[in-house]
C-alpha cells in the first residue's frame, strides 16, 4: 500500500499529464508495490480535485466487463472510472486531436438512470427497474500513462476515460439484448465508496468492439442498426 503522500503525488502526475497532453511514466514503475486499492484512491483523489475546481459528476464508466479481458489483466472483476460534465461531446462534433495524449474510441451502450441505485446486494432486476433508457455511445479513451500499462495504472488513470458521445435512439432497457450486468456490479462496488448511481447519471457499460485508434482528420461513425448511428471527428 502507498502512503497518503505518495497517493497525492500520483494524483499530481496524472493531473499534469492530462493538462500537458503528455503521457507520464507508469505509476506501477514508479511505485512497484501499488495495489488496486491505491489505484482507486488515486482516481478518487483526482476526481475530488476536479469537482472542487467546478466539474460536475454525471456518471461512471465500467471497463473490463469480459472474462477474457479480466484474465489478461489478472483481475476477477470489472473496473470503473468517473464521468464528468466536461467529457460530454455532441454527436457529430469536431474535436481537437491535440486535446488528448493518444485518443482511441470504443463503441458502447450508455444506461441513463431514472432512479437511485445504491448497493450492496443488487442484481440485474434492480438495474432494469432503475434504468430510464439505454442509448448508443462512443467512449473516447486516452491513456495519460505510457505503455505497457498494468491494471493498477489503468484504474488510477480513471479507466482512461476522456470523452463520451451519446446519440441515436433511446430505448427502454428491456427492448435491447442486455447480456451483461455491469450496472449491478458498479452500484455494488460504489457502495463500498459510500456513493450510489443517481437519477440522470450515465453508466457506460463497457465496450463490445476492439478499441480503435483515432488519428487527426479521422471521422469515426458507429452504426447501432435500429438504434441509429453516432459520429465524432478529430481535427
Amino acid at each position: 500500500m502507498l502512503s497518503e503522500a505518495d497517493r497525492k503525488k500520483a494524483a499530481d502526475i496524472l493531473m499534469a499529464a492530462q493538462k500537458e497532453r503528455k503521457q507520464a511514466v507508469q505509476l506501477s514503475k514508479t511505485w512497484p508495490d501499488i495495489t488496486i486499492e491505491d489505484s482507486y484512491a488515486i482516481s478518487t483523489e483526482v476526481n475530488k480535485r476536479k469537482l472542487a475546481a467546478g466539474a460536475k459528476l454525471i456518471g461512471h464508466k465500467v471497463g473490463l466487463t469480459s472474462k477474457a479481458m479480466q484474465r489478461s489483466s489478472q483481475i476477477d472483476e470489472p473496473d470503473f472510472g468517473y464521468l464528468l460534465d466536461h467529457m460530454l461531446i455532441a454527436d457529430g462534433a469536431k474535436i481537437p486531436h491535440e486535446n488528448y495524449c493518444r485518443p482511441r474510441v470504443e463503441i458502447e451502450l450508455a444506461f441513463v438512470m431514472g432512479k437511485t441505485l445504491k448497493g450492496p446486494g443488487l442484481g440485474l432486476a434492480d438495474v432494469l427497474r432503475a434504468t430510464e433508457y439505454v442509448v448508443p455511445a462512443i467512449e473516447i479513451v486516452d491513456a495519460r500513462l505510457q505503455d505497457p500499462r498494468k491494471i493498477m495504472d489503468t484504474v488510477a488513470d480513471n479507466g482512461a476515460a476522456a470523452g463520451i458521445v451519446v446519440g441515436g435512439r433511446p430505448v427502454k432497457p428491456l427492448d435491447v439484448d442486455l447480456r451483461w450486468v455491469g450496472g449491478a456490479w458498479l452500484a455494488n462496488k460504489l457502495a463500498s465508496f459510500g456513493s450510489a448511481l443517481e437519477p440522470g447519471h450515465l453508466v457506460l457499460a463497457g465496450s463490445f468492439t476492439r478499441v480503435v485508434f483515432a488519428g487527426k482528420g479521422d471521422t469515426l461513425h458507429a452504426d447501432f442498426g435500429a438504434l441509429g448511428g453516432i459520429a465524432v471527428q478529430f481535427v
Side-chain angles (χ1 to χ4, degrees), residues 9 61 77 140 230:
K9 205 179 294 180
K61 65 162 282 183
E77 66 175 9
I140 298 171
I230 48 177

Side-chain angles (χ1 to χ4, degrees), residues 33 38 40 67 71 100 171 195 206 211:
D33 295 334
D38 291 322
Y40 277 121
K67 290 298 175 192
R71 276 195 297 276
Y100 306 94
V171 293
S195 56
V211 68

Side-chain angles (χ1 to χ4, degrees), residues 18-233:
Q18 186 171 0
K19 189 178 176 189
E20 295 158 16
R21 278 92 171 180
K22 192 176 171 200
Q23 289 182 319
V25 172
Q26 304 94 313
L27 302 182
S28 60
K29 273 193 175 177
T30 308
W31 292 282
D33 295 334
I34 190 171
T35 65
I36 287 283
E37 289 75 19
D38 291 322
S39 297
Y40 277 121
I42 292 161
S43 70
T44 301
E45 171 66 21
V46 170
N47 183 59
K48 272 186 192 160
R49 292 183 190 183
K50 289 179 177 176
L51 294 178
K56 185 175 170 231
L57 183 71
I58 59 164
H60 297 80
K61 65 162 282 183
V62 181
L64 302 177
T65 48
S66 79
K67 290 298 175 192
M69 289 297 290
Q70 290 171 24
R71 276 195 297 276
S72 72
S73 299
Q74 299 177 320
I75 57 168
D76 58 5
E77 66 175 9
D79 67 343
F80 79 84
Y82 300 96
L83 301 178
L84 303 174
D85 56 349
H86 61 76
M87 295 182 186
L88 266 181
I89 295 158
D91 181 17
K94 292 177 165 61
I95 50 174
H97 191 269
E98 68 207 25
N99 284 2
Y100 306 94
C101 298
R102 201 167 176 236
R104 296 168 297 163
V105 301
E106 294 180 340
I107 310 307
E108 313 193 8
L109 286 173
F111 289 61
V112 179
M113 308 312 297
K115 300 173 185 164
T116 300
L117 194 60
K118 188 167 173 52
L122 297 172
L124 177 57
D126 302 298
V127 177
L128 294 175
R129 275 196 296 270
T131 301
E132 188 170 354
Y133 58 90
V134 180
V135 67
I138 292 175
E139 182 186 2
I140 298 171
V141 292
D142 189 31
R144 271 73 61 159
L145 297 170
Q146 295 166 4
D147 287 326
R149 286 165 292 138
K150 294 185 174 173
I151 183 62
M152 284 75 77
D153 297 305
T154 304
V155 169
D157 189 19
N158 198 33
I164 322 126
V165 185
V166 292
R169 185 169 74 86
V171 293
K172 290 290 182 187
L174 289 173
D175 294 342
V176 286
D177 185 7
L178 302 174
R179 294 191 186 177
W180 58 86
V181 287
W185 172 83
L186 175 62
N188 290 330
K189 184 78 174 175
L190 288 175
S192 65
F193 290 79
S195 56
L197 300 175
E198 303 292 349
H201 273 191
L202 275 170
V203 177
L204 283 177
S207 178
F208 43 80
T209 63
R210 211 181 72 210
V211 68
V212 176
F213 278 97
K216 190 170 182 176
D218 287 353
T219 298
L220 294 116
H221 177 264
D223 181 356
F224 285 79
L227 301 191
I230 48 177
V232 67
Q233 184 179 10

